[in-house]
Every structure is written in C-alpha cells, then in structure tokens.
Amino acid sequence: MSDGFVGLDAVVEDPADVARFAEVVERLRPRCEALIAQYEESRSAMLPILHVFQEAEGWVSPAAQRACAEILALPLSVVESTASFYTLFFREPVGKYMLQPCRGLACIIGGAEEAMAHFRERLGLGQLQTTDDGLFSYEEVECLAACDRAPCMQVNLEFVYDLTNEKIDAMLAEMRAGTYAVAPAVQTSQPGKTWSVKQDTEKKSAGAQDVSSPNDPGGIGDRTGLEMLRRIESDPFPVEVRPTRERLVVDGAALLSGPIVVSNGEVEH
C-alpha cells in the first residue's frame, strides 16, 4: 500500500476540500488496514472499505473511490465498476434518512401500495428523489425478506415493520424533530434532487455484430484469448491488444507501470 493518497486533486477542485478529504483518508486508513488484514487477498476488503467511506461521508464520492483504489493498489476502474454495481453504494449525495419501503409481493398484499403512496404524498417525492432540505431520500425497493412483518421498510438499513399510515406520520415527525431512534446519516455534501447516476454515454461495444459466429464473439472457440495467454506467459510486457480506451486495460497497465502496445504500433501508457 502507498503511504499517501495521490491524485485527489483530479476529482476534487476546492483546495480546502482536498485537505479535508486527505484528513478523512488518514483517519480511516487504520480501519481499512484492519479490514484488509482479515482477508487472504486484499481486494476482498473492497466492499467493506467502500462502506467505511460511505459511513464517514454519507456517499461514495469519486474521491472515496480513488482512495479505495489507492489503498488496495487496484485500478480505479475496478473500484468504480464495483461501486456502480451495488445499489447500496450511493455515488451521489443522499438525504440524512434513506427511506426504503419494500414493494415485494408479500408487502404489496399486506398494504405496501397504500404505505408507499402515503410516503410520496407526505414527502412530495417520487422514486429515487430527495427532499429540498436534504433530510429524506426515498426509494421503493425489492423484497427485504421480512415477509412475516409486512409491509416493512428500512430506514438507513434498519428495519421497520408493520407499516401503517399513522406509523409513517409519527416516524417522519420524529425524524424532523431529531428524536427518531435511528440516527441520521452523515451528510458532507448537499444532495441534489436525485442520486441516480446517468449511464455512461460513451460508445459501447458492438457485441456479436459482424462476427462469423454470433454465439462465439470472443468466447469459447475464439483463439485470441489463448494467443494472449501465451504472450503473457512468455513476456508479460508489452501486451499487444487492439486499440482501446477500455478503462480496465489502461488503468491496469498504468498500475503495473507497463506499456500497452496496440496493434498499429502506437504505445499508450
């Protein structure tokens, strides 16, 4: 692991925020190292470490993802792809109270539709939205596996069972008054109207288009993988690949300080 956090200025513009987050990283580093020590492979600690940063910041910011990559000595693209896969990692700021009523079958039968409509009416929110004051974020989620106490929900991942409109009203009142049993989450950045992240608009792979066998576009039977393996076995660097901007390829080579030689002879570092 590196002794210092580098590259923060690439994702944080305000120098004061750079200094503040650097302090956060150093404060959390012992916890991260303790998590890493629990696993044979350090990258197995990625999810717990991301949770540590989200607990401290209220969301998994680009700076937090970069810090996680630095601590684990992984390509940033690996951390980004992991954080974007799991819905419990918020890549945009969210409210202090994340309200997640269940819309699974048992809850729907038990009255969840009425409860969700009541939430939306009381909060003035739709799916994946946050109140203007930043206090509440709202998301209707799939089965929470508490079917015997339906309809149910989670508040900052803590279960609430047997929802009624009266229970919802009392809950929201206590949250606004600061007396609710579940503590509000840390909030270091003001959330916007939604924390939904737009899909990457970069050009995607054509997949199985224009290949001899649509069932075999680079998988079983495609010998390019074997050729790549032979080259890696004989000489890990340089690795010859087609021209690419694929983050995992570029970031991985940069991490290992090895060049990528593309087929037209140009070298990308």
Side-chain angles (χ1 to χ4, degrees), residues 212-251:
S212 57
S213 173
N215 295 321
D216 233 3
I220 297 174
D222 188 325
R223 299 189 62 80
T224 56
L226 291 174
E227 179 64 23
M228 178 68 75
L229 179 60
R230 291 193 186 98
R231 295 186 184 199
I232 291 174
E233 287 177 337
S234 62
D235 182 9
F237 296 108
V239 175
E240 184 176 350
V241 296
R242 292 171 293 176
T244 181
R245 291 192 301 169
E246 171 61 40
R247 287 286 308 286
L248 186 56
V249 174
V250 176
D251 289 359

Coordinates of all heavy atoms in Angstrom, one line a residue, residues 212-251:
S212 N -18.2 -14.0 -37.4 CA -18.6 -15.2 -38.1 C -19.6 -16.1 -37.4 O -20.5 -16.7 -38.0 CB -17.3 -16.1 -38.4 OG -16.6 -16.4 -37.2
S213 N -19.5 -16.1 -36.1 CA -20.5 -16.9 -35.3 C -21.0 -16.0 -34.1 O -20.3 -15.7 -33.2 CB -19.8 -18.1 -34.7 OG -20.7 -18.8 -33.8
P214 N -22.2 -15.6 -34.2 CA -22.8 -14.7 -33.1 C -22.7 -15.3 -31.8 O -22.7 -14.6 -30.7 CB -24.2 -14.4 -33.6 CG -24.2 -14.7 -35.0 CD -23.2 -15.8 -35.3
N215 N -22.6 -16.7 -31.7 CA -22.5 -17.4 -30.4 C -21.1 -17.5 -29.9 O -20.9 -18.0 -28.9 CB -23.2 -18.8 -30.5 CG -24.7 -18.7 -30.8 OD1 -25.3 -17.8 -30.3 ND2 -25.1 -19.6 -31.6
D216 N -20.2 -17.0 -30.7 CA -18.8 -17.2 -30.4 C -17.9 -15.9 -30.6 O -16.9 -15.9 -31.1 CB -18.2 -18.3 -31.2 CG -17.5 -19.3 -30.4 OD1 -17.5 -19.2 -29.2 OD2 -16.9 -20.3 -31.0
P217 N -18.4 -14.7 -30.1 CA -17.7 -13.5 -30.4 C -16.6 -13.2 -29.3 O -16.8 -12.4 -28.4 CB -18.8 -12.4 -30.3 CG -19.8 -12.9 -29.3 CD -19.7 -14.4 -29.5
G218 N -15.6 -14.0 -29.3 CA -14.5 -13.8 -28.3 C -14.6 -14.7 -27.2 O -13.8 -14.6 -26.3
G219 N -15.5 -15.7 -27.2 CA -15.6 -16.6 -26.0 C -15.0 -18.0 -26.4 O -13.9 -18.1 -27.0
I220 N -15.7 -19.0 -26.0 CA -15.2 -20.4 -26.3 C -15.0 -20.5 -27.8 O -15.9 -20.2 -28.6 CB -16.1 -21.4 -25.8 CG1 -16.2 -21.3 -24.2 CG2 -15.7 -22.8 -26.2 CD1 -17.3 -22.2 -23.6
G221 N -13.8 -21.0 -28.2 CA -13.5 -21.2 -29.6 C -12.8 -20.1 -30.3 O -12.2 -20.2 -31.3
D222 N -12.8 -18.9 -29.6 CA -12.0 -17.8 -30.1 C -10.6 -17.9 -29.6 O -10.3 -17.9 -28.4 CB -12.6 -16.5 -29.6 CG -12.0 -15.3 -30.3 OD1 -10.8 -15.3 -30.5 OD2 -12.7 -14.3 -30.5
R223 N -9.6 -18.1 -30.5 CA -8.2 -18.4 -30.1 C -7.4 -17.2 -29.7 O -6.3 -17.3 -29.3 CB -7.6 -19.2 -31.3 CG -8.2 -20.5 -31.6 CD -7.4 -21.3 -32.6 NE -6.1 -21.6 -32.0 CZ -5.9 -22.7 -31.2 NH1 -6.9 -23.4 -30.8 NH2 -4.7 -22.9 -30.7
T224 N -8.0 -16.0 -29.9 CA -7.2 -14.8 -29.5 C -6.9 -14.8 -28.0 O -5.9 -14.3 -27.6 CB -8.0 -13.5 -29.8 OG1 -9.3 -13.5 -29.2 CG2 -8.2 -13.4 -31.3
G225 N -7.8 -15.4 -27.2 CA -7.5 -15.4 -25.8 C -6.3 -16.3 -25.5 O -5.5 -16.0 -24.6
L226 N -6.2 -17.5 -26.2 CA -5.1 -18.3 -26.0 C -3.8 -17.7 -26.4 O -2.7 -17.8 -25.8 CB -5.3 -19.6 -26.8 CG -6.4 -20.6 -26.3 CD1 -6.6 -21.7 -27.2 CD2 -6.1 -21.1 -24.9
E227 N -3.9 -16.9 -27.5 CA -2.7 -16.2 -28.0 C -2.2 -15.2 -27.0 O -1.0 -15.1 -26.7 CB -3.0 -15.6 -29.4 CG -1.9 -14.8 -29.9 CD -0.7 -15.6 -30.3 OE1 -0.8 -16.9 -30.5 OE2 0.4 -15.1 -30.4
M228 N -3.2 -14.5 -26.4 CA -2.8 -13.5 -25.4 C -2.2 -14.2 -24.2 O -1.2 -13.7 -23.6 CB -4.1 -12.8 -24.9 CG -3.9 -11.7 -23.8 SD -2.9 -10.3 -24.4 CE -4.1 -9.5 -25.4
L229 N -2.7 -15.3 -23.8 CA -2.2 -16.1 -22.6 C -0.7 -16.5 -22.9 O 0.2 -16.4 -22.1 CB -3.0 -17.3 -22.3 CG -2.5 -18.1 -21.1 CD1 -2.5 -17.3 -19.8 CD2 -3.5 -19.3 -20.9
R230 N -0.5 -17.0 -24.1 CA 0.9 -17.4 -24.5 C 1.9 -16.2 -24.4 O 3.0 -16.4 -23.9 CB 0.9 -18.0 -25.9 CG 0.2 -19.4 -26.0 CD 0.5 -20.0 -27.3 NE -0.3 -21.3 -27.5 CZ -1.4 -21.3 -28.2 NH1 -1.9 -20.2 -28.8 NH2 -2.1 -22.4 -28.3
R231 N 1.4 -15.1 -24.9 CA 2.3 -13.9 -24.9 C 2.6 -13.4 -23.4 O 3.7 -13.0 -23.1 CB 1.6 -12.8 -25.7 CG 1.5 -13.1 -27.2 CD 1.0 -11.9 -28.0 NE 0.8 -12.3 -29.3 CZ 0.8 -11.5 -30.3 NH1 0.9 -10.2 -30.1 NH2 0.6 -11.9 -31.6
I232 N 1.5 -13.5 -22.6 CA 1.7 -13.1 -21.2 C 2.7 -14.0 -20.5 O 3.5 -13.6 -19.7 CB 0.4 -13.0 -20.5 CG1 -0.5 -11.9 -21.0 CG2 0.6 -12.9 -19.0 CD1 -1.9 -11.8 -20.5
E233 N 2.6 -15.3 -20.8 CA 3.4 -16.3 -20.2 C 4.9 -16.1 -20.6 O 5.8 -16.3 -19.8 CB 3.0 -17.7 -20.5 CG 1.7 -18.2 -19.8 CD 1.3 -19.5 -20.3 OE1 1.6 -20.0 -21.4 OE2 0.5 -20.2 -19.5
S234 N 5.1 -15.8 -21.9 CA 6.5 -15.6 -22.4 C 7.1 -14.3 -22.0 O 8.3 -14.1 -21.7 CB 6.5 -15.8 -23.9 OG 5.7 -14.8 -24.5
D235 N 6.2 -13.2 -22.0 CA 6.7 -11.9 -21.7 C 5.5 -11.0 -21.3 O 4.8 -10.6 -22.2 CB 7.4 -11.3 -22.9 CG 8.0 -9.9 -22.6 OD1 8.0 -9.5 -21.5 OD2 8.4 -9.2 -23.6
P236 N 5.3 -10.8 -20.0 CA 4.2 -10.0 -19.6 C 4.1 -8.6 -20.2 O 3.0 -8.1 -20.3 CB 4.3 -9.9 -18.0 CG 5.2 -11.1 -17.7 CD 6.1 -11.3 -18.9
F237 N 5.2 -8.0 -20.5 CA 5.2 -6.7 -21.1 C 6.1 -6.7 -22.3 O 7.2 -7.3 -22.3 CB 5.6 -5.6 -20.2 CG 4.7 -5.5 -19.0 CD1 5.1 -5.9 -17.7 CD2 3.4 -4.9 -19.2 CE1 4.2 -5.8 -16.7 CE2 2.6 -4.8 -18.1 CZ 2.9 -5.2 -16.9
P238 N 5.8 -6.1 -23.5 CA 4.5 -5.5 -23.7 C 3.4 -6.5 -24.0 O 3.7 -7.5 -24.5 CB 4.8 -4.5 -24.9 CG 5.8 -5.3 -25.6 CD 6.7 -6.0 -24.6
V239 N 2.1 -6.1 -23.8 CA 1.0 -6.9 -24.1 C 0.3 -6.3 -25.3 O 0.0 -5.1 -25.3 CB 0.0 -7.0 -23.0 CG1 -1.3 -7.7 -23.4 CG2 0.6 -7.7 -21.8
E240 N 0.2 -7.0 -26.4 CA -0.3 -6.5 -27.7 C -1.9 -6.7 -27.7 O -2.4 -7.8 -27.5 CB 0.3 -7.1 -28.9 CG -0.2 -6.5 -30.2 CD 0.5 -7.1 -31.4 OE1 1.5 -7.9 -31.2 OE2 0.1 -6.8 -32.5
V241 N -2.6 -5.6 -27.8 CA -4.0 -5.6 -27.9 C -4.5 -4.7 -29.0 O -3.7 -3.9 -29.5 CB -4.7 -5.2 -26.6 CG1 -4.3 -6.2 -25.5 CG2 -4.2 -3.8 -26.2
R242 N -5.8 -4.8 -29.3 CA -6.3 -3.9 -30.3 C -6.4 -2.5 -29.7 O -6.4 -2.3 -28.4 CB -7.7 -4.3 -30.7 CG -7.8 -5.6 -31.4 CD -9.2 -6.1 -31.6 NE -9.7 -6.5 -30.3 CZ -11.0 -6.9 -30.1 NH1 -11.8 -6.9 -31.1 NH2 -11.4 -7.3 -28.9
P243 N -6.4 -1.4 -30.5 CA -6.5 -0.1 -30.0 C -7.8 0.0 -29.0 O -8.8 -0.4 -29.4 CB -6.7 0.8 -31.2 CG -6.0 0.0 -32.3 CD -6.3 -1.4 -32.0
T244 N -7.6 0.5 -27.8 CA -8.7 0.5 -26.9 C -8.6 1.7 -25.9 O -7.5 2.2 -25.7 CB -8.7 -0.8 -26.1 OG1 -9.7 -0.8 -25.1 CG2 -7.4 -0.9 -25.3
R245 N -9.8 2.1 -25.5 CA -9.9 3.1 -24.4 C -10.5 2.4 -23.2 O -10.9 3.1 -22.2 CB -10.7 4.3 -24.8 CG -10.0 5.1 -25.8 CD -10.8 6.4 -26.0 NE -12.2 6.2 -26.4 CZ -13.1 7.2 -26.4 NH1 -12.7 8.4 -26.1 NH2 -14.3 7.0 -26.8
E246 N -10.6 1.1 -23.2 CA -11.1 0.3 -22.1 C -10.4 0.7 -20.8 O -9.2 0.5 -20.7 CB -11.1 -1.2 -22.4 CG -11.5 -2.1 -21.2 CD -12.9 -1.8 -20.7 OE1 -13.8 -1.6 -21.6 OE2 -13.1 -1.8 -19.5
R247 N -11.2 1.2 -19.8 CA -10.6 1.6 -18.6 C -9.8 0.6 -17.8 O -8.7 0.8 -17.3 CB -11.6 2.2 -17.6 CG -12.2 3.5 -18.1 CD -11.2 4.6 -17.8 NE -10.8 4.6 -16.4 CZ -11.5 5.0 -15.4 NH1 -12.7 5.5 -15.6 NH2 -11.0 5.0 -14.2
L248 N -10.3 -0.7 -17.8 CA -9.6 -1.7 -17.1 C -8.3 -2.0 -17.7 O -7.3 -2.3 -16.9 CB -10.5 -3.0 -17.0 CG -10.0 -4.1 -16.1 CD1 -9.8 -3.6 -14.7 CD2 -11.0 -5.3 -16.2
V249 N -8.2 -2.0 -19.0 CA -6.9 -2.3 -19.6 C -5.9 -1.1 -19.4 O -4.8 -1.4 -19.0 CB -7.1 -2.5 -21.2 CG1 -5.8 -2.6 -21.9 CG2 -8.0 -3.7 -21.4
V250 N -6.4 0.1 -19.6 CA -5.5 1.2 -19.5 C -5.1 1.4 -18.0 O -3.9 1.6 -17.7 CB -6.2 2.5 -20.0 CG1 -5.3 3.7 -19.7 CG2 -6.5 2.4 -21.5
D251 N -6.0 1.4 -17.1 CA -5.7 1.6 -15.7 C -4.8 0.5 -15.1 O -3.9 0.7 -14.4 CB -7.0 1.6 -14.8 CG -7.7 2.9 -15.0 OD1 -7.3 3.7 -15.8 OD2 -8.8 3.1 -14.4

